[in-house]
Each structure stands twice: as C-alpha cells, then as structure tokens.
Amino acid sequence: TMAHSKALLVLENFIGGKFVPCSSYIDSYNPSTGDVYCKVPDSGKEEVEAAVKAAKDAFPIWSSKSPLERSQILNKLADLIEHDLEAFAQAESKDQGKTITFARTVDIPRAVHNFRFFASSILHHVTECTEMPSMGCMHYTSRAPVGVAGLISPWNLPLYLLTWKIAPAIACGNTVVAKPSEMTSVTAWMMCKLLEKAGVPPGVVNIVFGTGAKAGEALVCHPDVPLISFTGSTLTAQRITEKSAPHCKRLSLELGGKNPAIIFDDADLSQCIPTTVRSSFANQGEICLCTSRIFVQRGIYNEFLKRFVAEAKKWKTGNPSDPTVNIGALISKEHLQKVRNYVKKAQAEGARILCGEGVDPLALPPGNQKGYFMLPTVITEVKDESCCMQEEIFGPVTCVVAFDTEEEVIKRANGVKYGLAATVWSGNVGRVHRVAHRLQSGLVWTNCWLVRDLNLPFGGMKASGIGREGAKDSYEFFTEVKTITIKH
Ligand code: NAD
C-alpha cells in the first residue's frame, strides 16, 4: 500500500566514510507485526570490492596512530551511542523482535561498553622480552595490526555482537569491512552516522549490508582480507572455513551451543529456578549461551519441575515495546516454524510438553496477530539421543531430565557435538570445581548465569568454535606478532 511504502526505511552501505546506495535491496521484516518495514542493500562482489579498497587505503594512517589516539576516538563513539541509547534500543527491538527492556538494558549498554572496554584495554597490553646471556642475545616480541579485518555477525544480538568485533579490531589499528545479518542491519547503519563525529577517519569502518551467500562470501573470498571474525552457526562456519582455506586466512569462529544446566540436590532453588528460567528464555532463547538441557538430580526432580514450570508460566509473551513483556517475537517466520517443529518432533517421540507451545493459549494484542510469537516451552520425558536434546533449537524451548550421579551427569552433559557454555548449581564447593573441570565447555557458570568479565576468554569448544575473544585474546587475534632477536 502507499502508506506502507512511504514509511519504508531504506538503508545504504557505508564505504569510505560515505553512504552509498545499492542497485538492489532485500526486504526486512518487523518480526512483531510481520510487516516489511525496511529495505536492506543486497550487496555483492562489487560493493565488497569497494569497501575493501577503502579499508586498505585507510590502513596506513589508522595503523600508525598511537593506541591513545585510537582509544580517545573509541571513547567518543561510545559516548555518542550512549547519548542515543533510547533510539538505538527502539530500533533494535523493532528490527529484531526482542523486548524493548532487553534492548535497553542489555544490547545497547553492552555495545557502548564494548567500545569503552577496548578503548581502555588497548592501553594496557605489554609485549614479551627474554634474555639469553650465554649467547649475548635478547629477544622481544612486537605486535602490529594485521590489515583489513572481515567481520561477520548474526541476528540475535545485532549491535552488541558487531561492536564486540569492531571495537577490538580498530582499537588494535586494523581497518574493517563488516557485514551484519541481513535480517538485523538497522542499528549498524545508525552507528555509521556517528562515526565521523566520533573522529573515525573515512575507510576505517566500512559496512556492507546483504546476505551471507552474496556479500558474506565475497568478503570471505577477498584476497586482501587476511582475517575473518565470524559469529553465527556451525554450518556457516564450515562453509567459511572451506572458502577461506585457499587463502590460509586467520579465523575466529564463535558458533552455536546446546548448553546444559546441571542442578544438584543441594542447589539453592530460590536462586536457581528464576535464573534457569532466564537462562532458558531470555531474548526468546535466541542467545548462543541459553540453557536448553536441564539435568536435575532425582531427589529434587519433581519439586524442581513444578516450580520451574510455574515460574516459566509467569513470563509474558507479547508486544516487545510493552515494558511488562518478557518474551518478544522470534526473528522470522521461518525460524518460528523451525522452533515449533522441534516441539512437534518431541511430541511425536513421546515426550511431554509441560507448558507453552500447543499446550497453553497465546493471546496477542490486535497489532501483533501476524508477529512471530511463541510461549516459553518446557519439554520433559525426552531421550538424550532425541534431536531436541542434541541440536541447537535457538528459541524459547528447554528440556528437563533427571539424573542420579555426578559421574553420569558429566558424561551426559558432554554427550553433544557442542561445547559453549554450561551452568552448575550446587552448594558443595568441591563438587562445583570438580564438575567445572570435567565439562567440555568454553564457559562454565556456577550458581549464576551470564556474568561476564570481558578481560577473560570467551568462546567454545568442539563444534561451538575455534579461538577465543576477550581483552588479551582479541588483541592477539587482531594483531600479528613478530619475535626479534638482538645480539649485543
Ligand atoms: P548464520 O550462520 O546463519 O549467519 C551469521 C552471519 O553469517 C550472517 O551475517 C549471515 O549473513 C552470514 N553468512 C551466512 N552464510 C554465509 C556464507 N556462506 N559466507 C559468509 N557469511 C555468511 O547464523 P544466524 O542464524 O545469523 O545466528 C544464529 C547462530 O549464531 C546460532 O547458531 C547461534 O548459536 C550463533 N551465535 C553464536 C554466538 C557465540 O558467541 N558463540 C553468539 C551469538 C550467536
């Protein structure tokens, strides 16, 4: 309709400090209404080529600035995003479907913090030096930015995860070409409008919008992009590994998870239950760190299940801009269908659905009838081998099963291809350490969830990824080290 097309937001690529229109566009949906509301550039080889050229041209000047100069620019950018926090949060909620509350309190504050954090941490790295008196030699290391970094990010935490890559990459002196998810491009585009004011020179940050198959792959295959930092699914990571292999690119891969929560009979359930509901359903369950397999020790199993389901039922699903809503819309119609199908498959296999999908009525406000909503869903009586216990669902669905012994639960928790994040609940400190050491998981939270210190490594084992990110790890990834020997 006319009214419709008038209101469409049209994004442009940001190349060499300028907004550049594209010859073709992709429709982007508002997940909470099902309407197309935005046009995203459908970039390909040509656009990526222009962006890489701009980034290459900007590299000599940017890489020769002092860490302090770069730090000041990053801090300025953080201030500017923070100043517009509400506008960014509104945009993220509309574009992604997440609740305004989550965007306001998690996504955008973290994007601001990413720039502040790396603005600070870049000032504190030291290189190494060793001496070899018998040879009359000393050795030291020097680190330099690598060049043009290719950054590819997913749709679940759009600006949060994109800035988690842009901040360390440019803090270290690289220039970047970034490609956000074609489903959530708006906040990246909004950030581009602030770069000049922050003092980021043209060409240091270039953003090319479009699909993974076209724009993403062109970036991965570009011979002048020696390093790719990717967050997304394991399947895409395999493709990126294959496509980048002829160039021997440096890869950082942050991938999916099938994260267990292990709840022993001495756990403080008053803490554990609300936190495990949150770890299962926060951001519609669309966080790589979300819990999706809950192992509960037999003695407290029935009590846990009763209280857990009661707590899950309190979570309100509906219009993301309503501040009382806990669960917004899922990212797309296709994704909603995929998540629902997992619940159907579980049912067909004989599992029981205790609440949510297919069990409870979902009442939506009139404007949200065509949105991609789903109630928080709890599945039980499900076998460890079933697809709901093995595959990443990435929606508001969690499975609860019973276990008897520590030895048994460690084996079962490790019995998936993934290894990203685990939580352990117990009042026994010895057990907590023992179990944490034996879990195949890049992150283990005990008696809490999602408490992060950005100084420490973040990343997954097994099919959950390669490499780590964090203060020191990102610095190492985004710089090339050289060992220099001096004879005196
Ligand atoms: P995805 O793999 O489909 O897409 C991620 C990004 O890669 C998008 O920008 C996409 O356009 C691009 N892409 C797709 N195909 C490509 C190709 N052939 N070449 C280059 N780029 C390509 O993932 P998604 O569905 O957007 O995100 C959800 C996934 O991300 C989940 O598996 C989730 O667990 C994972 N994730 C992991 C972390 C982590 O830190 N470990 C964080 C968030 C999300």
Side-chain angles (χ1 to χ4, degrees), residues 152-157 161 164 179-183 210-218 220 230-237 239-240 243 253-257 286-289 392 394 418 420 458-460 464 469:
I152 300 176
S153 56
W155 49 257
N156 62 328
L157 301 163
L161 288 174
W164 174 238
K179 194 209 78 69
S181 167
E182 62 275 26
M183 285 184 274
T211 65
K214 256 174 85 180
E217 212 150 300
V220 168
F230 169 79
T231 299
S233 64
T234 303
L235 202 67
T236 305
R239 174 95 184 158
I240 288 177
K243 287 281 160 183
L253 306 172
E254 296 286 353
L255 316 176
E286 296 168 330
I287 305 180
C288 54
L289 307 167
E392 183 183 49
F394 220 55
Y418 294 106
L420 186 56
F458 176 93
S464 291
E469 295 176 336

Side-chain angles (χ1 to χ4, degrees), residues 411-431:
K411 196 159 169 243
R412 291 171 67 190
N414 288 339
V416 293
K417 70 173 181 176
Y418 294 106
L420 186 56
T423 57
V424 180
W425 292 85
S426 168
N428 177 334
V429 71
R431 172 146 68 195

